[in-house]
Amino acid sequence: MSRFFKIIGRVLGVLLVVVIGAVAAVYFASNSKLKKTFTVTARPVVIPTDAAAIAHGKHMAETRGCNECHGADYGGAKVIDDPAMGKLFGPNLTKGKGGSAATFRDEDWVRAIRHGVAKDGRGLLLMPSEEYSHFSDEDLGSVIAYLKTVPPVARDSVPLALGPVARALLAAGKLKLAAAQIDHANLRPQFVTPAVSLEYGRYLSVGCTGCHGTNFSGGKIDIGPPNWPHAANLTPHATGRVAKWTEADFLAAMRTGKRPDGAAIDPVMPRSFGNMTDVELKALWTHFKTLPATPTGAR
């Protein structure tokens, strides 16, 4: 009997060593990615000062997800507070105490938004710059112009604290730093005239790829907690809901947060997107209806 317990003890000891080794490997691999720096030359953009451009920047910021992470007052907000994923809060973007804007130069704004890179060269973990790197100079300049005008908020930014699942996703390459994905040297986004057109819909749709995938087929969202719902299939494939919708159904769903059958859309889908103009939403619909029909989750 004593020999049996010795064998069990050795097995458990080996398993413990393996587990500790795996945890250490995940920690060091994720830390390596978090500490990696990127040398990026932020190409200057014109920052307008006229009221119309600032109003456009406000609309852009409020309908492209900025409030979801930085709060309605841009003083920072909770994104995820979960034992598995950790404490992930968007930083204070204002000039108030604890905010970053007081020391930001125009190139710092461009580097953070378009390239996903902090002032010290680190990649910004929560910043979805892959979706913002396509902003035209005109749109990006307007967003920066607006953010520079928001009232100061005194609120300390909450340091990122990654949980074990977030670290494992980062180490495995499921949770990615935008800075590591962007072709920084070749960003030359062009201005697209707002219209109910396929071209404008394609331009706007880049903001949907973070959750719905680059082919818009939806499925599991790797960047969020395990309990997040799967993203909807936005292609005309029969396995997706949108294939059965009309343009009016799509606009109503975006505006109300409810599907045509009355079921609520999970709040993981930012409600702020529903504040887009009719032109923007109809352009998106025009684009989605022309996509190749792709089975749900076939990213």
Side-chain angles (χ1 to χ4, degrees), residues 5 8 37 46 53 62 97 114 119 169 181 272 282 288:
F5 284 117
I8 293 297
T37 58
V46 174
E62 291 178 349
K97 183 179 180 294
R114 177 170 278 174
K119 287 180 67 174
L169 290 173
Q181 309 302 312
S272 58
K282 288 181 178 181
F288 293 150

Side-chain angles (χ1 to χ4, degrees), residues 158-178:
V158 179
L160 294 177
L162 269 63
V165 172
R167 284 191 175 275
L169 290 173
L170 186 61
K174 294 292 187 179
L175 181 59
K176 299 179 175 69
L177 293 174

Side-chain angles (χ1 to χ4, degrees), residues 11 17 39 149 152 171 205 213 244 277:
V11 170
V17 169
T39 301
T149 69
S205 70
K244 307 174 183 66
T277 66

